[in-house]
Amino acid sequence: MKKNLTLLTTLAAALIISSCAHNKATEQKVENEIKEVPSSQTKSITGTIKEQIAASSLSAEQKEKLMALEEKAHAEHTALTDELERTKVVMIQTVLEPKMSQKEFNILKNKITALDKKRLANGFRNAAEVRKIIAPTATTQDKMIYKAVIENRLRGF
């Protein structure tokens, strides 16, 4: 009996280790597929408010801070959007294929959810930073720039 229990425990451990290795291989496979999607297949919308900032009545210091923040936010947004769109392409191309397992589907689903959540969190962080630079109680023109910057980041442009 003790011998059978030891054998059963050993087999269970081997199965768990094998399963973990398979999950890592599946994750790597999905990551490789995402990386192979060319950027031309991921059409992202980009918008800029740099001209509005430059033409505004904000102080030179405010303009400089907003420009730096916009460039950083745009770069982060572009990188996240590119990865998100490539992941969506893989999901669309493979979701009905017999080769796609439920594990692959779950990995893609979780990755899309996480990237979208991160992109939105970056938009909120950007909104808070803009709020520190331009007070919402500022002039009407400044409020328009504030609104444009926030909308630009939160709506995904």
Side-chain angles (χ1 to χ4, degrees), residues 45-112:
I45 302 169
T46 57
T48 180
I49 59 153
K50 291 180 182 180
E51 294 84 11
Q52 292 178 21
I53 294 170
S56 74
S57 61
L58 295 169
S59 71
E61 183 182 353
Q62 285 175 310
K63 288 179 183 181
E64 186 178 313
K65 286 179 180 178
L66 281 176
M67 288 290 205
L69 185 62
E70 175 61 17
E71 286 176 12
K72 180 182 174 194
H74 180 72
E76 289 172 349
H77 176 79
T78 300
L80 282 170
T81 299
D82 183 54
E83 186 174 1
L84 179 62
E85 292 303 316
R86 285 186 284 125
T87 305
K88 287 177 181 179
V89 168
V90 170
M91 173 70 89
I92 291 165
Q93 289 176 342
T94 60
V95 73
L96 296 177
E97 293 294 320
K99 70 176 186 168
M100 179 180 249
S101 69
Q102 187 62 41
K103 288 178 186 177
E104 290 172 314
F105 178 82
N106 288 338
I107 290 167
L108 288 165
K109 178 187 75 165
N110 292 338
K111 185 168 185 73
I112 289 168

